Amino acid sequence: MGKSILIEHYELLYNLEKPNKFGKDTVGSLSSRHTLNLYYVLDGHSKHPNSSILVSNFQEYISLLADDFQKLEPTDAEIVSFLRKVLTDFHFKYQRTLIPGAMSIIIAVFTSSKVIAAHLGDCRLGKISGDDISWLTMPHNLAMLYLDKSLDIELQLKTCEYNHIVTRSLNTKTLKEIEFNIFDLEPCQYLLVSDGIWKLKNENIVRLIDLREQYFSLIPNIEDDMALTIIDCTIE
């Protein structure tokens, strides 16, 4: 008898209210008859006016693609092509109309055997087992240029003074090169996160996952917006 995959997800979202803050984080998902599941996290860049509008427009835009996603064939090539078209068409739809507006984005499609991810910016895909967190994608930020590969990469990314400067984004000026990654599906918890989460210490990320909404009322002085989708994959 073949293996079956059970996928469930949970979303967490926390946005700060500050003067002269233009961005916001958000999450979303689509599902299809081919047992494909799509999840995304967006992080509107807070210093760029129109970023919150861009985030809201993307949510509306991708919701209109639900029928197209339903018809999508569950092959790696078709899914990569679909994701490329989603991001490219959205860019050209709003090019030169919401300047300045920019956001980081990661979209991941889960099939029965693969996780196929596309991203621009510093939202990331990772996985967690117990207290062990491993990040599967790397951020597009200036800190990447200063990494010493002989040292702890994640510690450098969390602490580098340039880790807030994004080098690629989904914006309304220039279409940047989209990064695609394909991973074998494993029975574990996957994480899609904005940078406000992966920059936390690992023990705080684990605590957030354990406490969920309670975390936001227990932790004082949260400094950044946070968006998280937890995807539980169980092989039966």
Side-chain angles (χ1 to χ4, degrees):
M1 181 179 294
K3 296 178 180 179
S4 62
I5 309 295
L6 177 64
I7 295 180
E8 298 179 343
H9 79 283
Y10 190 89
E11 299 173 348
L12 283 170
L13 191 61
Y14 183 88
N15 280 299
L16 299 169
E17 296 293 336
K18 289 183 177 179
N20 300 315
K21 173 179 173 286
F22 302 107
K24 66 178 180 180
D25 289 7
T26 199
V27 297
S29 63
L30 295 174
S31 60
S32 87
R33 59 184 174 85
H34 286 301
T35 65
L36 298 180
N37 294 277
L38 179 153
Y39 308 98
Y40 64 84
V41 165
L42 310 177
D43 179 354
H45 296 176
S46 61
K47 295 187 181 299
H48 295 165
N50 297 317
S51 290
S52 289
I53 299 172
L54 199 66
V55 167
S56 296
N57 286 354
F58 184 87
Q59 288 185 284
E60 180 180 357
Y61 164 81
I62 200 167
S63 70
L64 298 175
L65 300 177
D67 288 343
D68 292 338
F69 188 64
Q70 285 282 345
K71 300 170 186 174
L72 187 63
E73 293 298 323
T75 66
D76 295 358
E78 288 293 319
I79 293 168
V80 167
S81 178
F82 174 79
L83 294 177
R84 187 185 303 279
K85 182 173 172 55
V86 167
L87 298 180
T88 301
D89 286 359
F90 180 78
H91 166 78
F92 286 118
K93 181 178 176 67
Y94 291 102
Q95 188 180 30
R96 305 292 175 187
T97 64
L98 288 172
I99 297 175
M103 63 185 182
S104 293
I105 180 170
I106 187 159
I107 309 180
V109 174
F110 286 70
T111 75
S112 60
S113 61
K114 301 286 184 181
V115 183
I116 301 169
H119 80 285
L120 286 164
D122 59 1
C123 296
R124 300 179 75 182
L125 167 69
K127 59 183 180 178
I128 181 170
S129 179
D131 292 344
D132 183 35
I133 300 172
S134 56
W135 296 106
L136 303 176
T137 61
M138 300 298 282
H140 299 144
N141 66 20
L142 197 58
M144 293 289 293
L145 298 179
Y146 294 89
L147 293 180
D148 182 341
K149 293 184 179 180
S150 68
L151 302 175
D152 186 322
I153 297 295
E154 290 301 325
L155 180 60
Q156 293 177 77
L157 288 174
K158 290 175 190 288
T159 58
C160 178
E161 63 179 307
Y162 304 114
N163 67 9
H164 65 290
I165 302 175
V166 173
T167 53
R168 293 190 224 173
S169 66
L170 185 56
N171 61 68
T172 55
K173 285 186 176 181
T174 305
L175 181 62
K176 302 293 186 177
E177 181 183 354
I178 304 163
E179 181 175 342
F180 294 93
N181 289 281
I182 301 176
F183 307 97
D184 290 330
L185 185 70
E186 300 179 24
C188 66
Q189 279 189 328
Y190 287 90
L191 310 174
L192 284 181
V193 304
S194 60
D195 70 313
I197 291 178
W198 66 258
K199 288 176 182 174
L200 296 172
K201 293 180 180 178
N202 276 12
E203 56 264 34
N204 289 336
I205 299 174
V206 172
R207 190 179 183 196
L208 169 62
I209 292 169
D210 289 340
L211 293 175
R212 308 217 171 172
E213 284 87 355
Q214 274 189 294
Y215 178 91
F216 303 124
S217 59
L218 294 174
I219 302 300
N221 303 319
I222 294 175
E223 297 180 352
D224 198 1
D225 298 340
M226 297 184 183
L228 164 67
T229 299
I230 305 166
I231 302 108
D232 284 306
C233 295
T234 305
I235 300 178
E236 299 181 327

